[in-house]
Amino acid sequence: MGAPVHYDLANFVYVVVGSVRIEGWSEDGGIEFEDSAPIAEVTTGADGQDTISYNNDKNMNATITVKHGSRAYKLLAEQMDDQTESRERGVVPDTLPFLAKDIATGDEISAAYLTYLERPMFSGSKQAGDKVFKVRLSQVKRIHGANL
C-alpha cells in the first residue's frame, strides 16, 4: 500500500481566463470539463461489422463554480458582460484565451477562445452562495500527466 495522496485545489489547480487567475472557488466547486462530442461513434451493420466514425470536434464545455462574493465572481461577470455587450453592438468580442493546469500532475487544458454560454442567476441568502459560469472552449489543446 502506497503513501496517501494529498490534494488541495488551491495549491494544485491554476486557472486563467484572459489574463485573470481564478480564485475564490466555492466549497464544492471548482472547474469541470466535458467533451462536446465523443472521440468516436460506432455503428454495426446488418452483417455484424462495426464502422467506427471518428469525431474531429476537439472543443469542450466547462463549468466554473465560484463563491458569490469572491473576486473571481466579479472578474468573470465583468468578462461575460463585456463579451455580451460587444456581441449586442455587432462587434466581434475580444479573444478570451483559457488555461487550466494541475500543477501536481501536469494535466493541462488550454483553449484559444472562451465563450460564455449561460449567465449566473441573481440570488440572495443568509450565506454567500455559489455562482456557476458555463463556458465553451474552442480550439482546445490537452496535455495529460506531464509531471507523472
Side-chain angles (χ1 to χ4, degrees), residues 35-41 53-57:
D35 285 319
S36 59
I39 294 170
E41 296 180 29
S53 302
Y54 291 95
N55 186 334
N56 293 309
D57 182 355

Side-chain angles (χ1 to χ4, degrees), residues 82-83 85-95 113:
D82 289 347
Q83 197 175 71
E85 289 169 12
S86 293
R87 192 190 72 254
E88 289 171 350
R89 289 192 319 270
V91 177
V92 175
D94 290 335
T95 301
Y113 303 97

Side-chain angles (χ1 to χ4, degrees), residues 67-78:
K67 278 291 189 198
H68 183 178
S70 68
R71 179 174 172 269
Y73 171 67
K74 180 181 185 309
L75 295 170
L76 291 169
E78 287 173 355

Side-chain angles (χ1 to χ4, degrees), residues 82-137:
D82 289 347
Q83 197 175 71
T84 301
E85 289 169 12
S86 293
R87 192 190 72 254
E88 289 171 350
R89 289 192 319 270
V91 177
V92 175
D94 290 335
T95 301
L96 200 52
F98 174 87
L99 170 68
K101 183 167 187 164
D102 185 322
I103 298 165
T105 64
D107 289 350
E108 181 176 308
I109 294 175
S110 63
Y113 303 97
L114 177 143
T115 304
Y116 287 93
L117 298 178
E118 291 184 24
R119 180 184 317 277
M121 298 309 295
F122 174 80
S123 62
S125 62
K126 182 178 177 182
Q127 296 179 338
D130 295 347
K131 292 297 176 183
V132 178
F133 292 86
K134 296 194 181 214
V135 299
R136 174 70 166 196
L137 303 174

Side-chain angles (χ1 to χ4, degrees), residues 31-67:
I31 187 161
E32 294 181 30
F33 298 98
E34 180 180 313
D35 285 319
S36 59
I39 294 170
E41 296 180 29
V42 179
T43 55
T44 304
D47 61 357
Q49 183 173 0
D50 285 345
T51 300
I52 301 170
S53 302
Y54 291 95
N55 186 334
N56 293 309
D57 182 355
K58 301 206 183 331
N59 301 317
M60 301 178 89
N61 295 321
T63 303
I64 303 171
T65 306
V66 296
K67 278 291 189 198

